């Protein structure tokens, strides 16, 4: 079976020109704290990046890195080529973000991504960035924005600092109910909504950029000072913390879950529930494996993996969403616990779960980390290195 640890979530970041996509992406780069992010930017300029060493401003279709500038235009048939490049083991990326052009069609990007034959990626969600101050004007000239918002897994209402409370409430009420909605100013959204950040560990040796970030006051970024505006976005003392607007629910059970009950919950999960992740023990329904769960919006995948010898058998799940009822979700999950964990389950009990298990990939030889991983000048020329 696929190893979920080898699959890299690919997030599509969409939104009309000026909505704040690049600002949000740049914020993710600065706030990732050691998580390695790969980006395919705007008109598909492609570059692998170590988030914490290139947390500079990204241009519309250009990323500057050291003395080089990587910029290229690719068509849809080449998306897999760049995903292959970014997902090779030597790159050691944790997440990939596709920042779409402001005039791109998100639905077409999703089709391309979901049709990818790259076994190292998994869908990470469609995030639609909306300029709260200009939404009505944009919808008047580009009515297709309603369709874009409707298919999004997460809607980021950006620039809310430019909208009064009444107008913001009316805007939120006008949005489709299917997606989770979070508010932001200057693209400042908690990265935990998008990906799991690597834990900050002790570093030995030369002072790194991570160390400088760790020493900053909470919420402050390099080159930023609260200065004359102690209540500005992201400053200490500001009431609008990054995690405001969404809820995280943690559920743990020492008793196995009933697969049919869990699938009934997942098939009817409430609107606004954006991410689900964790590990599930189905007990006697599959005593050999625990199941890793990955869900974004309506997208759902299970990945079975053998229990390690002596490993504690339990279920640990985290649910993240906006406008969700945390106690109700906890109660629903508690109702998925098996009444008789020692009983032999019905023959077809796991069928609902297995529908969402990817087909096993053929075994491939390990990719060597050798001189072949170093960019060939001719290949770099093809990739748009200038």
């Amino acid at each position: 079976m696929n190893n979920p640890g080898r699959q890299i979530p690919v997030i599509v970041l969409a939104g009309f020109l000026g909505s704040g996509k690049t600002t949000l992406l740049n914020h993710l780069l600065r706030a990732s704290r050691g998580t390695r992010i790969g980006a395919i930017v705007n008109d598909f300029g492609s570059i692998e990046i170590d988030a914490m060493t290139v947390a500079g401003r990204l241009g519309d279709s250009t990323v500057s890195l050291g003395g080089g500038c990587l910029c290229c235009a690719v068509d849809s048939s080449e998306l897999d080529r760049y995903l292959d490049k970014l997902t090779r083991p030597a790159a050691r990326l944790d997440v990939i973000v596709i920042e779409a052009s402001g005039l791109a069609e998100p639905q077409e990007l999703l089709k391309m991504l979901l049709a990818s034959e790259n076994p190292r990626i998994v869908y990470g969600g469609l995030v639609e960035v909306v300029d709260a101050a200009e939404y009505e004007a944009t919808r008047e000239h580009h009515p297709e924005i309603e369709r874009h918002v409707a298919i999004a897994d997460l809607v980021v209402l950006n620039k809310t600092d430019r909208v009064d409370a009444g107008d913001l409430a009316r805007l939120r009420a006008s949005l489709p109910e299917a997606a989770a909605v979070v508010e932001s100013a200057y693209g400042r959204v908690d990265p935990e909504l998008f990906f799991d950040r690597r834990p900050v560990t002790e570093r030995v040796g030369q002072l790194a950029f991570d160390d400088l970030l760790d020493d900053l006051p909470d919420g402050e970024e390099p080159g930023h000072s609260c200065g004359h505006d102690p209540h500005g976005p992201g400053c200490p003392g500001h009431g609008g913390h990054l995690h405001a607007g969404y809820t995280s629910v943690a559920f743990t059970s020492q008793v196995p879950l009933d697969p049919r009950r869990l699938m009934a919950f997942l098939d009817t999960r409430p609107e606004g529930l954006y991410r689900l992740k964790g590990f599930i023990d189905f007990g006697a329904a599959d005593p050999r494996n625990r199941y890793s769960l990955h869900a974004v919006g309506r997208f759902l995948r299970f990945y079975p993996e053998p229990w390690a010898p002596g490993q504690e058998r339990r279920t640990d799940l985290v649910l993240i969403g906006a406008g969700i009822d945390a106690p109700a979700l906890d109660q629903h999950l508690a109702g998925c616990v098996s009444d008789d964990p020692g009983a032999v389950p019905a023959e077809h009990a796991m069928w609902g779960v297995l529908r969402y298990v990817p087909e096993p990939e053929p075994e491939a030889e390990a990719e060597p980390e050798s001189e072949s991983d170093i960019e060939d000048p001719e290949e770099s020329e093809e990739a748009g290195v200038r």
Side-chain angles (χ1 to χ4, degrees), residues 212-257:
L212 299 177
L213 283 176
D214 291 341
D215 289 337
L216 289 173
D218 184 33
E220 187 173 334
E221 300 176 4
H224 170 76
S225 172
C226 295
H228 303 294
D229 184 11
H231 300 290
C235 297
H238 177 61
H241 297 291
L242 292 181
H243 60 265
Y246 76 90
T247 303
S248 177
V249 179
F251 175 81
T252 298
S253 175
Q254 304 289 344
V255 180
L257 301 193

Side-chain angles (χ1 to χ4, degrees), residues 303-336:
Y303 303 93
E305 56 186 69
W307 290 100
Q311 185 176 13
E312 181 184 6
R313 302 199 173 204
R314 54 186 278 177
T315 294
D316 291 293
L317 293 173
V318 175
L319 296 78
I320 300 173
I324 57 178
D325 186 336
L329 286 174
D330 190 75
Q331 184 176 1
H332 281 306
L333 286 171
C336 297

Side-chain angles (χ1 to χ4, degrees), residues 36-59:
R36 292 178 63 86
I37 300 176
I40 301 174
V41 181
N42 275 0
D43 292 326
F44 295 144
S46 178
I47 176 174
E48 63 176 275
I49 45 182
D50 182 340
M52 299 315 300
T53 60
V54 293
R57 181 174 299 276
L58 305 182

Side-chain angles (χ1 to χ4, degrees), residues 13 18-31 127 129-132 154 156-162 182-191 193-194 221 233-234 240-242:
L13 187 60
S19 60
K21 299 185 302 297
T22 297
T23 302
L24 193 155
L25 175 57
N26 216 20
H27 164 68
L28 293 180
L29 295 173
R30 289 192 297 263
V127 179
V129 184
V130 171
D131 183 337
L154 178 69
V156 176
L157 275 183
N158 196 30
K159 305 184 184 181
T160 54
D161 55 311
R162 296 175 51 195
V182 294
E183 300 174 10
S184 74
Y186 305 101
R188 293 181 58 81
V189 179
D190 195 326
L193 272 170
F194 302 92
E221 300 176 4
H241 297 291
L242 292 181

Side-chain angles (χ1 to χ4, degrees), residues 140-301:
E140 180 179 347
H141 293 94
H142 302 278
E144 63 270 25
I145 192 175
E146 293 187 5
R147 176 166 44 84
H148 297 175
V149 171
I151 64 173
D153 299 302
L154 178 69
V155 175
V156 176
L157 275 183
N158 196 30
K159 305 184 184 181
T160 54
D161 55 311
R162 296 175 51 195
V163 182
D164 64 43
D167 288 341
L168 186 59
R170 284 187 289 273
L171 171 55
R172 291 199 63 148
S174 71
L175 297 176
E177 297 180 357
V181 179
V182 294
E183 300 174 10
S184 74
Y186 305 101
R188 293 181 58 81
V189 179
D190 195 326
E192 293 289 345
L193 272 170
F194 302 92
F195 52 81
D196 300 327
R197 288 188 284 189
R198 288 185 178 179
V200 177
T201 57
E202 181 180 359
R203 289 175 291 274
V204 179
Q206 184 177 353
L207 183 69
F209 194 53
D210 282 353
D211 299 293
L212 299 177
L213 283 176
D214 291 341
D215 289 337
L216 289 173
D218 184 33
E220 187 173 334
E221 300 176 4
H224 170 76
S225 172
C226 295
H228 303 294
D229 184 11
H231 300 290
C235 297
H238 177 61
H241 297 291
L242 292 181
H243 60 265
Y246 76 90
T247 303
S248 177
V249 179
F251 175 81
T252 298
S253 175
Q254 304 289 344
V255 180
L257 301 193
D258 181 285
R260 286 179 169 172
R261 292 182 186 177
L262 180 65
M263 287 311 305
F265 164 73
L266 293 175
D267 287 341
T268 59
R269 56 193 185 272
E271 306 294 355
L273 184 55
Y274 173 58
R275 288 186 72 197
L276 296 91
K277 57 184 180 178
F279 298 94
I280 302 167
D281 176 18
F282 286 121
D286 187 350
R288 294 182 301 174
N289 296 303
R290 71 171 182 171
Y291 283 71
S292 171
L293 170 65
H294 170 79
V296 180
R298 311 317 295 178
F299 179 86
L300 176 64
R301 287 290 184 273

